[in-house]
Structures are given as structure tokens and as C-alpha cells.
């Protein structure tokens, strides 16, 4: 395959990410770096995933605290707005997760670069 192969390296975590997103960045960037599939070009996609994760986590905590149903201003039970937020962020996370191979199905479609040692055939010929 002739696709571009940028150097594998961990990009700097964007300072705009909050503490929860930064912890997720650290966790994922280490794992992705081990696989040699994280590059500088992936910074925005990983940041978007981590931001969505942070919002999902906050919404999920609030669902646990307040429940999935809340009272409307008129007193009728309605779905908590946190349910919609959690669901939307989970959708975003799953889309980005498939790009990075975070799910078992998507992992089977991703090939990681293998760093091969040079052989004698790769060595330049010595001038005689």
C-alpha cells in the first residue's frame, strides 16, 4: 500500500481539554503509542473523542444522581436532558472509536505498522 505513513508519536494534549478529558487522553495516547498508530495528525480526532468522553461521563454521573426521569416545570415527568447528552456523546465516541480501533470489530480492520530491522539486502553497496 502506498498510503502516507506519518511518524508514530504522541501529540501534545490540547490545553482546552478539562481534567476528565485529559486523563482519558493520557490513558489512550499511551495505548495507541504502543500500537504505533498515533501521530501528530490524530491530535484533533483524539481530542474530540476525549472531549465527548468527558461530557458523556458528566452526563452519566448526573443520570445516576437525578435519575432518567425528572419533573418538568409543570410537574409532569419527562426524560432527563442528561440522557440525551449521554446518548449523543456516546454516538460521537463510537464513531471516533472505530477510526482508532477501540472496538473489537474495528480493531480487526486496522493494521499496525511493523518496524522491521534492516537486512543485508537493504544496506547500500560499499564503494570499491
Amino acid at each position: 500500500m502506498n498510503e502516507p505513513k506519518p511518524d508514530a508519536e504522541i501529540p501534545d494534549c490540547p490545553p482546552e481539554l478539562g481534567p476528565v478529558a485529559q486523563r482519558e487522553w493520557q490513558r489512550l495516547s499511551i495505548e495507541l503509542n504502543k500500537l504505533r498508530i498515533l501521530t501528530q495528525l490524530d491530535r484533533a480526532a483524539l481530542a474530540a473523542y476525549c472531549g465527548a468522553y468527558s461530557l458523556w461521563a458528566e452526563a452519566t454521573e448526573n443520570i445516576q444522581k437525578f435519575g432518567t426521569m425528572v419533573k418538568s416545570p409543570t410537574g409532569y415527568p419527562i426524560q432527563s436532558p442528561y440522557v440525551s447528552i449521554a446518548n449523543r456523546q456516546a454516538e460521537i465516541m463510537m464513531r471516533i472509536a472505530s477510526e482508532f480501533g477501540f472496538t473489537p470489530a474495528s480493531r480487526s480492520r486496522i493494521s499496525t505498522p511493523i518496524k522491521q530491522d534492516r537486512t543485508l539486502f537493504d544496506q547500500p553497496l560499499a564503494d570499491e
Side-chain angles (χ1 to χ4, degrees):
M1 293 186 204
N2 291 328
E3 75 272 2
K5 294 178 180 80
D7 292 335
E9 64 179 293
I10 298 176
D12 292 336
C13 180
E16 299 83 9
L17 294 179
V20 172
Q22 288 180 11
R23 283 192 301 275
E24 186 67 355
W25 176 282
Q26 292 304 320
R27 184 182 77 81
L28 291 175
S29 64
I30 289 168
E31 293 301 318
L32 291 169
N33 192 52
K34 286 179 191 175
L35 297 173
R36 302 191 50 75
I37 59 174
L38 185 62
T39 73
Q40 290 294 330
L41 297 174
D42 305 317
R43 184 174 188 245
L46 185 58
Y49 177 90
C50 294
Y53 173 83
S54 177
L55 292 171
W56 170 84
E58 180 182 345
T60 301
E61 287 175 11
N62 282 306
I63 291 168
Q64 292 171 9
K65 184 175 180 180
F66 301 113
T68 57
M69 300 299 287
V70 296
K71 283 188 179 182
S72 71
T74 59
Y76 290 100
I78 59 169
Q79 179 180 284
S80 167
Y82 293 116
V83 172
S84 297
I85 294 168
N87 289 340
R88 179 70 182 126
Q89 298 313 308
E91 289 172 11
I92 292 168
M93 289 165 51
M94 291 306 292
R95 265 200 322 273
I96 298 170
S98 70
E99 295 293 323
F100 282 108
F102 294 169
T103 64
S106 66
R107 215 170 3 262
S108 68
R109 294 187 300 268
I110 293 178
S111 63
T112 59
I114 299 171
K115 191 170 187 173
Q116 297 179 346
D117 293 330
R118 293 177 66 140
T119 67
L120 289 175
F121 297 109
D122 296 324
Q123 303 298 325
L125 296 175
D127 292 335
E128 294 184 11

